[in-house]
Amino acid sequence: MNWRLVLRMLGTIVLIEAATMVPSWIIALIYGDAGDARALLISIGLMLIFALPLRFLMRPKERNMRARDGFLVVSLSWIVMSLFGALPFWIGGLFHSYVDALFEAVSGFTTTGASVLTDFENTPHGLMFWRSFTHWVGGMGVLVLTLALLPRLTGRTSHLVKAESPGPSLSKVVPKMGQSAKIMYLIYALLTMIQFLLLMLAGMNPYDAGIHAMGTAGTGGFSNYGASVGAFNSVAVDWIITVFMVLFGVNFALFYRALTGQWREALKSEELHWYLSLLGISVAAVTLIILPLYGNFFTALRYGSFQVATIVSTTGYATTDFSLWPQAAKGILLCLMFVGSCAGSTAGGLKIVRVALLFKSAKREVMRSFQPRKVKVVRFEGKGCDESLLSQTMVFFVIYILLMLLGTLLLSFGGKFDNETNLTAALSCISNVGPGFGVVGPAGNYAGYGAFEKIVLCVLMLAGRLELFPMLALFHPEIWRKA
Protein backbone atom coordinates (compact mmCIF):
# COMPACT_ATOMS: atom_id res chain seq x y z
CA MET A 1 0.00 0.00 0.00
CA ASN A 2 1.39 3.39 -1.04
CA TRP A 3 0.40 5.22 2.12
CA ARG A 4 2.16 8.47 1.29
CA LEU A 5 0.23 8.76 -1.96
CA VAL A 6 -3.05 7.82 -0.25
CA LEU A 7 -2.57 10.43 2.51
CA ARG A 8 -1.49 13.09 0.00
CA MET A 9 -4.65 12.44 -1.99
CA LEU A 10 -6.76 12.70 1.17
CA GLY A 11 -5.16 16.05 1.97
CA THR A 12 -5.85 17.32 -1.54
CA ILE A 13 -9.48 16.25 -1.45
CA VAL A 14 -10.10 17.90 1.93
CA LEU A 15 -8.50 21.11 0.59
CA ILE A 16 -10.90 21.05 -2.36
CA GLU A 17 -13.79 20.42 0.04
CA ALA A 18 -12.70 23.47 2.06
CA ALA A 19 -12.74 25.52 -1.16
CA THR A 20 -16.25 24.30 -2.01
CA MET A 21 -17.44 25.56 1.38
CA VAL A 22 -16.45 29.16 0.56
CA PRO A 23 -19.56 29.95 -1.57
CA SER A 24 -21.78 28.93 1.37
CA TRP A 25 -19.77 31.22 3.66
CA ILE A 26 -20.30 34.09 1.18
CA ILE A 27 -24.05 33.35 1.09
CA ALA A 28 -24.10 33.50 4.90
CA LEU A 29 -22.40 36.91 4.81
CA ILE A 30 -24.80 38.21 2.15
CA TYR A 31 -27.83 37.25 4.25
CA GLY A 32 -26.22 38.50 7.47
CA ASP A 33 -26.28 35.11 9.21
CA ALA A 34 -23.29 35.61 11.52
CA GLY A 35 -23.73 32.26 13.30
CA ASP A 36 -23.53 30.03 10.25
CA ALA A 37 -20.79 32.21 8.70
CA ARG A 38 -18.73 31.58 11.85
CA ALA A 39 -19.51 27.83 11.75
CA LEU A 40 -18.45 27.59 8.11
CA LEU A 41 -15.27 29.58 8.71
CA ILE A 42 -14.28 27.40 11.70
CA SER A 43 -14.94 24.28 9.62
CA ILE A 44 -12.78 25.60 6.79
CA GLY A 45 -10.00 26.35 9.28
CA LEU A 46 -10.12 22.83 10.75
CA MET A 47 -9.99 21.31 7.27
CA LEU A 48 -6.95 23.40 6.38
CA ILE A 49 -5.18 22.31 9.58
CA PHE A 50 -5.84 18.67 8.65
CA ALA A 51 -5.18 18.89 4.92
CA LEU A 52 -2.21 21.22 4.40
CA PRO A 53 0.41 18.96 6.06
CA LEU A 54 -0.84 15.92 4.16
CA ARG A 55 -0.91 17.74 0.83
CA PHE A 56 2.50 19.39 1.00
CA LEU A 57 4.60 17.27 3.38
CA MET A 58 3.75 13.82 2.05
CA ARG A 59 6.15 13.00 -0.81
CA PRO A 60 5.32 9.61 -2.34
CA LYS A 61 8.24 7.82 -3.99
CA GLU A 62 5.87 6.17 -6.46
CA ARG A 63 3.20 8.36 -8.12
CA ASN A 64 1.47 5.62 -10.07
CA MET A 65 -1.68 4.45 -8.34
CA ARG A 66 -2.59 0.79 -8.26
CA ALA A 67 -6.15 -0.55 -8.06
CA ARG A 68 -5.84 -1.24 -4.33
CA ASP A 69 -4.63 2.32 -3.68
CA GLY A 70 -7.48 3.72 -5.77
CA PHE A 71 -10.15 1.81 -3.87
CA LEU A 72 -8.72 2.91 -0.52
CA VAL A 73 -8.44 6.57 -1.60
CA VAL A 74 -12.03 6.64 -2.81
CA SER A 75 -13.58 4.97 0.23
CA LEU A 76 -11.52 6.92 2.78
CA SER A 77 -12.05 10.18 0.89
CA TRP A 78 -15.82 9.91 1.05
CA ILE A 79 -15.73 9.03 4.74
CA VAL A 80 -13.34 11.86 5.66
CA MET A 81 -15.21 14.29 3.42
CA SER A 82 -18.47 13.45 5.19
CA LEU A 83 -16.90 13.79 8.63
CA PHE A 84 -15.66 17.31 7.82
CA GLY A 85 -18.79 18.21 5.82
CA ALA A 86 -20.89 17.62 8.94
CA LEU A 87 -18.96 20.18 11.00
CA PRO A 88 -20.86 23.32 9.88
CA PHE A 89 -24.20 21.70 10.76
CA TRP A 90 -22.93 20.72 14.21
CA ILE A 91 -20.91 23.84 15.04
CA GLY A 92 -23.71 26.06 13.71
CA GLY A 93 -26.23 24.37 16.00
CA LEU A 94 -28.44 23.06 13.20
CA PHE A 95 -28.17 19.66 14.88
CA HIS A 96 -27.26 19.11 18.52
CA SER A 97 -26.07 15.58 17.78
CA TYR A 98 -22.97 15.10 15.63
CA VAL A 99 -24.48 11.83 14.34
CA ASP A 100 -27.45 13.80 12.98
CA ALA A 101 -25.08 16.27 11.33
CA LEU A 102 -23.07 13.38 9.87
CA PHE A 103 -26.24 11.72 8.54
CA GLU A 104 -27.21 14.96 6.77
CA ALA A 105 -23.72 15.37 5.29
CA VAL A 106 -23.51 11.76 4.09
CA SER A 107 -26.99 12.05 2.61
CA GLY A 108 -25.92 15.23 0.84
CA PHE A 109 -22.62 14.03 -0.62
CA THR A 110 -24.08 10.68 -1.70
CA THR A 111 -27.01 12.59 -3.28
CA THR A 112 -29.48 10.49 -1.31
CA GLY A 113 -31.61 13.33 0.04
CA ALA A 114 -32.74 11.48 3.17
CA SER A 115 -32.98 14.04 5.96
CA VAL A 116 -33.27 14.36 9.71
CA LEU A 117 -33.98 18.10 9.47
CA THR A 118 -37.37 19.10 10.83
CA ASP A 119 -37.27 22.90 10.93
CA PHE A 120 -36.72 24.10 7.35
CA GLU A 121 -38.06 27.63 7.54
CA ASN A 122 -35.71 28.73 10.35
CA THR A 123 -32.52 27.20 8.97
CA PRO A 124 -29.87 29.85 8.14
CA HIS A 125 -29.22 30.50 4.45
CA GLY A 126 -25.52 29.62 4.53
CA LEU A 127 -26.01 26.21 6.12
CA MET A 128 -28.97 25.43 3.86
CA PHE A 129 -26.89 26.38 0.83
CA TRP A 130 -24.02 24.14 2.01
CA ARG A 131 -26.52 21.33 2.54
CA SER A 132 -27.59 21.58 -1.11
CA PHE A 133 -24.11 22.28 -2.45
CA THR A 134 -22.99 18.89 -1.10
CA HIS A 135 -25.39 17.39 -3.66
CA TRP A 136 -23.77 19.24 -6.51
CA VAL A 137 -20.23 18.27 -5.43
CA GLY A 138 -21.14 14.65 -4.76
CA GLY A 139 -23.27 14.20 -7.86
CA MET A 140 -20.47 14.02 -10.39
CA GLY A 141 -17.97 12.83 -7.80
CA VAL A 142 -15.35 14.56 -5.69
CA LEU A 143 -12.53 12.47 -7.18
CA VAL A 144 -13.67 13.44 -10.68
CA LEU A 145 -13.63 17.09 -9.55
CA THR A 146 -10.13 16.59 -8.15
CA LEU A 147 -8.88 15.17 -11.45
CA ALA A 148 -10.56 17.99 -13.36
CA LEU A 149 -8.72 20.58 -11.25
CA LEU A 150 -5.43 18.70 -10.75
CA PRO A 151 -5.05 16.19 -13.61
CA ARG A 152 -1.34 15.56 -12.88
CA LEU A 153 -1.78 14.81 -9.20
CA THR A 154 -1.12 11.11 -9.69
CA GLY A 155 -0.57 8.54 -12.40
CA ARG A 156 -3.06 5.88 -13.52
CA THR A 157 -6.05 7.94 -12.51
CA SER A 158 -8.48 5.45 -14.08
CA HIS A 159 -8.35 3.44 -10.83
CA LEU A 160 -9.76 6.46 -8.96
CA VAL A 161 -12.56 7.20 -11.38
CA LYS A 162 -13.45 3.54 -11.84
CA ALA A 163 -13.86 3.13 -8.09
CA GLU A 164 -16.11 6.20 -7.86
CA SER A 165 -18.01 6.08 -11.18
CA PRO A 166 -21.66 4.99 -11.13
CA GLY A 167 -21.97 1.93 -13.34
CA PRO A 168 -20.33 -1.40 -14.21
CA SER A 169 -17.94 0.12 -16.76
CA LEU A 170 -15.79 3.24 -16.98
CA SER A 171 -16.92 5.91 -19.46
CA LYS A 172 -14.22 8.12 -20.94
CA VAL A 173 -15.26 10.71 -23.52
CA VAL A 174 -11.63 11.36 -24.53
CA PRO A 175 -8.49 9.24 -23.98
CA LYS A 176 -7.04 11.39 -21.16
CA MET A 177 -8.90 10.96 -17.87
CA GLY A 178 -8.19 14.49 -16.63
CA GLN A 179 -9.60 15.97 -19.83
CA SER A 180 -12.64 13.68 -19.60
CA ALA A 181 -13.26 14.92 -16.05
CA LYS A 182 -13.16 18.55 -17.21
CA ILE A 183 -15.59 17.87 -20.06
CA MET A 184 -18.00 16.04 -17.76
CA TYR A 185 -17.98 18.87 -15.23
CA LEU A 186 -18.47 21.51 -17.91
CA ILE A 187 -21.55 19.68 -19.22
CA TYR A 188 -22.74 19.22 -15.64
CA ALA A 189 -22.32 22.93 -14.86
CA LEU A 190 -23.94 23.99 -18.14
CA LEU A 191 -27.07 21.90 -17.55
CA THR A 192 -27.26 23.18 -13.95
CA MET A 193 -27.06 26.79 -15.12
CA ILE A 194 -29.74 26.27 -17.78
CA GLN A 195 -32.11 24.81 -15.18
CA PHE A 196 -31.27 27.62 -12.75
CA LEU A 197 -32.26 30.24 -15.35
CA LEU A 198 -35.45 28.40 -16.31
CA LEU A 199 -36.52 28.12 -12.66
CA MET A 200 -36.00 31.86 -12.24
CA LEU A 201 -38.12 32.48 -15.34
CA ALA A 202 -40.79 30.26 -13.74
CA GLY A 203 -40.96 32.62 -10.74
CA MET A 204 -38.35 31.33 -8.27
CA ASN A 205 -35.98 33.77 -6.57
CA PRO A 206 -32.24 33.20 -7.24
CA TYR A 207 -31.65 31.49 -3.89
CA ASP A 208 -34.50 28.97 -4.29
CA ALA A 209 -33.60 28.39 -7.93
CA GLY A 210 -29.99 27.66 -6.98
CA ILE A 211 -30.97 25.26 -4.21
CA HIS A 212 -33.32 23.27 -6.43
CA ALA A 213 -31.07 23.32 -9.50
CA MET A 214 -28.21 21.84 -7.45
CA GLY A 215 -30.55 19.27 -5.93
CA THR A 216 -31.77 18.23 -9.37
CA ALA A 217 -28.31 18.18 -10.97
CA GLY A 218 -26.90 15.95 -8.24
CA THR A 219 -30.16 13.94 -8.23
CA GLY A 220 -30.20 14.49 -4.48
CA GLY A 221 -33.43 16.31 -3.73
CA PHE A 222 -32.63 18.50 -0.73
CA SER A 223 -35.10 21.39 -0.66
CA ASN A 224 -35.22 24.40 1.62
CA TYR A 225 -38.95 23.82 2.22
CA GLY A 226 -40.59 21.10 4.28
CA ALA A 227 -43.10 20.46 1.47
CA SER A 228 -40.22 20.12 -1.03
CA VAL A 229 -41.11 21.23 -4.59
CA GLY A 230 -44.79 21.03 -3.64
CA ALA A 231 -44.30 24.26 -1.66
CA PHE A 232 -44.26 26.26 -4.93
CA ASN A 233 -47.53 24.76 -6.24
CA SER A 234 -46.40 25.68 -9.75
CA VAL A 235 -47.09 23.69 -12.89
CA ALA A 236 -44.11 25.31 -14.66
CA VAL A 237 -41.70 24.52 -11.81
CA ASP A 238 -42.93 20.92 -11.64
CA TRP A 239 -42.38 20.31 -15.36
CA ILE A 240 -38.98 22.03 -15.48
CA ILE A 241 -37.69 19.92 -12.60
CA THR A 242 -39.28 16.78 -14.07
CA VAL A 243 -37.51 17.27 -17.41
CA PHE A 244 -34.14 17.97 -15.79
CA MET A 245 -34.43 15.02 -13.42
CA VAL A 246 -34.83 12.85 -16.51
CA LEU A 247 -31.89 14.56 -18.22
CA PHE A 248 -29.56 14.13 -15.25
CA GLY A 249 -30.41 10.44 -15.23
CA VAL A 250 -28.85 10.06 -18.71
CA ASN A 251 -25.25 8.92 -19.23
CA PHE A 252 -23.17 12.11 -19.57
CA ALA A 253 -21.10 10.51 -22.32
CA LEU A 254 -24.22 10.70 -24.52
CA PHE A 255 -24.45 14.46 -23.96
CA TYR A 256 -20.85 14.79 -25.11
CA ARG A 257 -21.59 12.80 -28.26
CA ALA A 258 -24.60 14.97 -29.00
CA LEU A 259 -22.66 18.20 -28.44
CA THR A 260 -19.86 17.03 -30.75
CA GLY A 261 -22.24 16.27 -33.60
CA GLN A 262 -22.63 12.56 -32.92
CA TRP A 263 -26.26 12.91 -31.89
CA ARG A 264 -27.37 10.02 -34.12
CA GLU A 265 -25.01 7.66 -32.31
CA ALA A 266 -26.22 9.03 -28.97
CA LEU A 267 -29.86 8.39 -29.88
CA LYS A 268 -29.00 4.79 -30.86
CA SER A 269 -27.83 3.98 -27.33
CA GLU A 270 -29.54 0.80 -26.15
CA GLU A 271 -29.27 1.92 -22.52
CA LEU A 272 -31.04 5.17 -23.41
CA HIS A 273 -33.83 3.18 -25.10
CA TRP A 274 -34.28 1.02 -21.99
CA TYR A 275 -34.29 4.13 -19.80
CA LEU A 276 -36.86 6.07 -21.81
CA SER A 277 -39.06 2.99 -22.27
CA LEU A 278 -39.06 2.36 -18.52
CA LEU A 279 -39.96 5.99 -17.87
CA GLY A 280 -42.74 6.03 -20.47
CA ILE A 281 -44.37 2.80 -19.32
CA SER A 282 -44.12 3.76 -15.63
CA VAL A 283 -45.52 7.26 -16.16
CA ALA A 284 -48.46 5.89 -18.17
CA ALA A 285 -49.25 3.20 -15.59
CA VAL A 286 -48.97 5.48 -12.54
CA THR A 287 -51.02 8.23 -14.24
CA LEU A 288 -53.88 5.83 -14.98
CA ILE A 289 -53.79 4.38 -11.45
CA ILE A 290 -53.95 7.75 -9.69
CA LEU A 291 -56.39 9.34 -12.16
CA PRO A 292 -59.41 8.71 -9.88
CA LEU A 293 -57.63 10.59 -7.06
CA TYR A 294 -57.21 13.77 -9.10
CA GLY A 295 -60.15 13.54 -11.51
CA ASN A 296 -58.22 15.27 -14.28
CA PHE A 297 -55.85 13.53 -16.69
CA PHE A 298 -53.35 16.38 -16.99
CA THR A 299 -53.19 16.85 -13.21
CA ALA A 300 -52.63 13.11 -12.75
CA LEU A 301 -49.98 13.19 -15.50
CA ARG A 302 -48.23 16.11 -13.80
CA TYR A 303 -48.00 14.39 -10.42
CA GLY A 304 -47.44 10.91 -11.85
CA SER A 305 -44.60 11.93 -14.17
CA PHE A 306 -42.91 13.99 -11.44
CA GLN A 307 -42.91 11.15 -8.93
CA VAL A 308 -41.79 8.56 -11.46
CA ALA A 309 -38.95 10.84 -12.60
CA THR A 310 -37.89 11.64 -9.04
CA ILE A 311 -37.73 7.93 -8.11
CA VAL A 312 -36.09 6.67 -11.32
CA SER A 313 -33.48 9.44 -11.20
CA THR A 314 -33.18 8.84 -7.41
CA THR A 315 -33.59 12.59 -6.85
CA GLY A 316 -36.14 12.38 -4.06
CA TYR A 317 -38.07 15.63 -4.58
CA ALA A 318 -41.81 15.45 -3.93
CA THR A 319 -44.88 17.38 -4.98
CA THR A 320 -47.33 15.14 -3.13
CA ASP A 321 -47.31 12.41 -0.49
CA PHE A 322 -47.14 9.37 -2.77
CA SER A 323 -47.20 7.03 0.24
CA LEU A 324 -50.97 7.73 0.28
CA TRP A 325 -51.40 6.56 -3.33
CA PRO A 326 -53.00 3.19 -4.21
CA GLN A 327 -50.89 0.11 -3.58
CA ALA A 328 -50.39 -0.52 -7.31
CA ALA A 329 -48.80 2.91 -7.81
CA LYS A 330 -46.64 2.44 -4.71
CA GLY A 331 -45.60 -0.98 -6.01
CA ILE A 332 -44.35 0.57 -9.25
CA LEU A 333 -42.40 3.22 -7.37
CA LEU A 334 -40.91 0.54 -5.09
CA CYS A 335 -39.62 -1.38 -8.12
CA LEU A 336 -38.21 1.81 -9.62
CA MET A 337 -36.23 2.42 -6.41
CA PHE A 338 -34.20 -0.68 -7.27
CA VAL A 339 -33.59 0.21 -10.90
CA GLY A 340 -32.33 3.80 -10.90
CA SER A 341 -31.09 5.47 -14.08
CA CYS A 342 -28.22 5.17 -16.53
CA ALA A 343 -24.60 4.39 -15.72
CA GLY A 344 -22.42 7.48 -16.01
CA SER A 345 -25.20 9.72 -14.66
CA THR A 346 -25.51 11.31 -11.22
CA ALA A 347 -28.29 8.90 -10.22
CA GLY A 348 -28.16 5.88 -7.91
CA GLY A 349 -29.84 2.49 -7.91
CA LEU A 350 -28.76 -0.71 -9.67
CA LYS A 351 -28.50 1.18 -12.99
CA ILE A 352 -30.41 0.44 -16.19
CA VAL A 353 -27.48 -1.35 -17.80
CA ARG A 354 -27.26 -3.88 -14.97
CA VAL A 355 -31.00 -4.51 -15.04
CA ALA A 356 -30.82 -5.05 -18.82
CA LEU A 357 -27.87 -7.46 -18.47
CA LEU A 358 -29.64 -9.38 -15.70
CA PHE A 359 -32.77 -9.64 -17.84
CA LYS A 360 -30.84 -10.83 -20.89
CA SER A 361 -28.79 -13.30 -18.85
CA ALA A 362 -31.95 -14.74 -17.31
CA LYS A 363 -33.51 -15.04 -20.77
CA ARG A 364 -30.43 -16.89 -22.02
CA GLU A 365 -30.52 -19.34 -19.11
CA VAL A 366 -34.19 -20.09 -19.75
CA MET A 367 -33.40 -20.81 -23.41
CA ARG A 368 -30.50 -23.06 -22.37
CA SER A 369 -32.87 -25.21 -20.36
CA PHE A 370 -34.59 -26.46 -23.53
CA GLN A 371 -31.83 -25.70 -26.08
CA PRO A 372 -28.67 -26.79 -24.21
CA ARG A 373 -26.49 -27.06 -27.33
CA LYS A 374 -27.29 -23.65 -28.74
CA VAL A 375 -24.62 -21.02 -28.09
CA LYS A 376 -26.20 -17.69 -27.18
CA VAL A 377 -24.12 -14.56 -26.58
CA VAL A 378 -25.60 -11.77 -24.47
CA ARG A 379 -25.31 -8.56 -26.45
CA PHE A 380 -25.64 -4.97 -25.28
CA GLU A 381 -25.04 -1.77 -27.22
CA GLY A 382 -24.43 -3.96 -30.27
CA LYS A 383 -21.49 -5.82 -28.70
CA GLY A 384 -21.13 -9.21 -27.12
CA CYS A 385 -20.75 -9.03 -23.34
CA ASP A 386 -17.83 -10.73 -21.67
CA GLU A 387 -18.83 -13.52 -19.31
CA SER A 388 -16.84 -11.87 -16.52
CA LEU A 389 -19.00 -8.73 -16.85
CA LEU A 390 -22.17 -10.82 -16.58
CA SER A 391 -20.74 -12.59 -13.54
CA GLN A 392 -19.81 -9.27 -11.90
CA THR A 393 -23.31 -7.94 -12.58
CA MET A 394 -24.89 -10.95 -10.89
CA VAL A 395 -22.53 -10.68 -7.90
CA PHE A 396 -23.29 -6.96 -7.60
CA PHE A 397 -27.04 -7.67 -7.59
CA VAL A 398 -26.74 -10.38 -4.94
CA ILE A 399 -24.58 -8.21 -2.65
CA TYR A 400 -26.94 -5.29 -3.22
CA ILE A 401 -29.95 -7.33 -2.07
CA LEU A 402 -28.06 -8.85 0.87
CA LEU A 403 -26.91 -5.44 2.11
CA MET A 404 -30.44 -4.07 1.82
CA LEU A 405 -31.83 -7.02 3.81
CA LEU A 406 -29.05 -6.75 6.41
CA GLY A 407 -29.79 -3.05 6.75
CA THR A 408 -33.49 -3.78 7.20
CA LEU A 409 -32.68 -6.35 9.89
CA LEU A 410 -30.39 -3.96 11.79
CA LEU A 411 -33.00 -1.18 11.62
CA SER A 412 -35.64 -3.54 13.00
CA PHE A 413 -33.54 -4.17 16.12
CA GLY A 414 -34.31 -0.61 17.18
CA GLY A 415 -38.00 -1.52 17.32
CA LYS A 416 -39.06 2.00 16.40
CA PHE A 417 -40.89 1.52 13.10
CA ASP A 418 -42.75 -1.11 11.09
CA ASN A 419 -41.17 -3.36 8.45
CA GLU A 420 -42.46 -1.27 5.53
CA THR A 421 -40.66 1.78 6.91
CA ASN A 422 -37.45 -0.14 7.70
CA LEU A 423 -37.34 -1.97 4.36
CA THR A 424 -37.94 1.10 2.24
CA ALA A 425 -35.54 3.16 4.39
CA ALA A 426 -32.76 0.63 3.75
CA LEU A 427 -33.64 0.36 0.05
CA SER A 428 -33.93 4.12 -0.35
CA CYS A 429 -30.54 4.72 1.28
CA ILE A 430 -28.58 2.08 -0.61
CA SER A 431 -30.22 3.24 -3.85
CA ASN A 432 -29.60 6.91 -2.89
CA VAL A 433 -33.27 7.75 -3.47
CA GLY A 434 -34.19 9.63 -0.27
CA PRO A 435 -37.84 9.15 0.65
CA GLY A 436 -39.34 5.74 1.27
CA PHE A 437 -42.77 4.71 2.52
CA GLY A 438 -44.38 4.96 5.93
CA VAL A 439 -42.60 7.17 8.47
CA VAL A 440 -39.76 7.95 6.02
CA GLY A 441 -42.16 8.88 3.20
CA PRO A 442 -42.08 12.23 1.39
CA ALA A 443 -44.11 13.83 4.19
CA GLY A 444 -41.84 12.39 6.91
CA ASN A 445 -38.11 12.06 7.60
CA TYR A 446 -35.46 9.90 9.27
CA ALA A 447 -35.25 11.88 12.53
CA GLY A 448 -37.06 9.18 14.51
CA TYR A 449 -34.24 6.67 14.13
CA GLY A 450 -31.63 6.36 16.87
CA ALA A 451 -27.88 6.98 16.52
CA PHE A 452 -27.09 3.33 15.72
CA GLU A 453 -29.71 3.13 12.99
CA LYS A 454 -28.51 6.40 11.46
CA ILE A 455 -24.94 5.07 11.29
CA VAL A 456 -26.26 1.93 9.56
CA LEU A 457 -28.09 4.10 7.04
CA CYS A 458 -24.94 6.21 6.51
CA VAL A 459 -22.99 3.07 5.63
CA LEU A 460 -25.73 2.01 3.20
CA MET A 461 -25.72 5.45 1.54
CA LEU A 462 -21.95 5.41 1.10
CA ALA A 463 -21.97 1.82 -0.15
CA GLY A 464 -24.69 2.62 -2.67
CA ARG A 465 -22.98 5.77 -3.96
CA LEU A 466 -19.62 4.02 -4.36
CA GLU A 467 -21.09 0.96 -6.10
CA LEU A 468 -20.57 -1.29 -3.04
CA PHE A 469 -17.05 -2.61 -3.64
CA PRO A 470 -14.87 0.33 -2.47
CA MET A 471 -16.70 0.36 0.87
CA LEU A 472 -16.66 -3.43 1.23
CA ALA A 473 -12.93 -3.44 0.44
CA LEU A 474 -12.30 -1.59 3.72
CA PHE A 475 -13.33 -4.75 5.59
CA HIS A 476 -10.88 -6.96 3.67
CA PRO A 477 -7.49 -7.39 5.43
CA GLU A 478 -5.61 -7.57 2.11
CA ILE A 479 -6.23 -3.93 1.27
CA TRP A 480 -4.41 -2.78 4.44
CA ARG A 481 -1.29 -4.89 3.91
CA LYS A 482 1.93 -3.44 2.60
CA ALA A 483 2.75 -4.22 -1.02
Side-chain angles (χ1 to χ4, degrees), residues 31-322:
Y31 282 92
D33 297 325
D36 59 333
R38 174 178 166 273
L40 288 161
L41 199 58
I42 291 173
S43 301
I44 292 171
L46 292 173
M47 284 189 278
L48 293 177
I49 292 171
F50 172 86
L52 286 173
L54 295 181
R55 175 66 178 90
F56 295 104
L57 297 182
M58 288 292 170
R59 302 289 182 182
K61 296 179 181 179
E62 176 61 50
R63 291 182 68 251
N64 283 331
M65 182 169 289
R66 291 163 294 184
R68 186 172 61 169
D69 301 328
F71 269 61
L72 191 60
V73 167
V74 169
S75 53
L76 290 181
S77 295
W78 280 77
I79 292 172
V80 171
M81 186 173 61
S82 299
L83 291 171
F84 279 111
L87 288 178
F89 302 138
W90 187 47
I91 297 172
L94 186 61
F95 301 107
H96 297 298
S97 164
Y98 179 75
V99 172
D100 284 353
L102 179 63
F103 182 95
E104 205 76 9
V106 171
S107 181
F109 282 120
T110 60
T111 72
T112 303
S115 182
V116 292
L117 185 63
T118 55
D119 186 5
F120 287 81
E121 279 63 33
N122 295 317
T123 300
H125 291 83
L127 293 183
M128 188 64 83
F129 190 86
W130 170 242
R131 179 174 176 262
S132 292
F133 199 71
T134 56
H135 276 340
W136 200 83
V137 173
M140 188 60 69
V142 67
L143 274 302
V144 176
L145 176 60
T146 302
L147 294 178
L149 297 174
L150 302 167
R152 296 184 181 179
L153 183 63
T154 179
R156 297 182 185 176
T157 53
S158 61
H159 292 313
L160 282 177
V161 182
K162 185 177 180 180
E164 189 184 51
S165 295
S169 59
L170 178 62
S171 296
K172 289 199 296 183
V173 295
V174 293
K176 291 186 177 180
M177 187 58 67
Q179 191 65 20
S180 288
K182 288 180 182 178
I183 291 170
M184 291 294 191
Y185 254 100
L186 284 173
I187 296 172
Y188 187 50
L190 178 63
L191 286 173
T192 307
M193 183 57 64
I194 293 172
Q195 187 190 359
F196 170 75
L197 294 174
L198 289 175
L199 288 175
M200 286 185 62
L201 289 174
M204 279 191 182
N205 63 54
Y207 181 78
D208 288 346
I211 291 287
H212 290 85
M214 289 189 294
T216 307
T219 61
F222 275 157
S223 174
N224 53 329
Y225 295 96
S228 190
V229 179
F232 299 99
N233 194 26
S234 167
V235 175
V237 167
D238 287 1
W239 281 113
I240 289 169
I241 292 179
T242 298
V243 169
F244 276 88
M245 285 191 295
V246 172
L247 288 176
F248 281 109
V250 174
N251 191 325
F252 274 69
L254 298 183
F255 289 126
Y256 177 75
R257 289 183 191 175
L259 289 172
T260 54
Q262 305 174 62
W263 57 271
R264 287 189 178 88
E265 289 78 3
L267 292 177
K268 289 178 182 177
S269 168
E270 185 177 353
E271 184 182 27
L272 181 63
H273 295 169
W274 276 76
Y275 176 57
L276 295 179
S277 298
L278 177 68
L279 276 169
I281 293 170
S282 300
V283 167
V286 170
T287 299
L288 292 175
I289 292 169
I290 66 173
L291 182 58
L293 292 177
Y294 296 98
N296 180 283
F297 175 78
F298 292 104
T299 303
L301 178 64
R302 169 189 167 190
Y303 287 109
S305 58
F306 187 97
Q307 297 310 143
V308 167
T310 198
I311 296 298
V312 168
S313 67
T314 69
T315 304
Y317 280 139
T319 53
T320 186
D321 187 359
F322 57 76

Side-chain angles (χ1 to χ4, degrees), residues 112 337 400-401 403-411 419-434 436 440 446 449 456-457 460-461:
T112 303
M337 286 183 184
Y400 197 89
I401 298 299
L403 282 177
M404 183 198 70
L405 294 176
L406 177 61
T408 304
L409 178 63
L410 292 175
L411 293 179
N419 287 330
E420 180 189 45
T421 297
N422 292 331
L423 175 64
T424 56
L427 172 59
S428 183
C429 285
I430 198 171
S431 293
N432 303 136
V433 174
V440 296
Y446 290 73
Y449 281 115
V456 169
L457 292 171
L460 290 177
M461 287 188 279

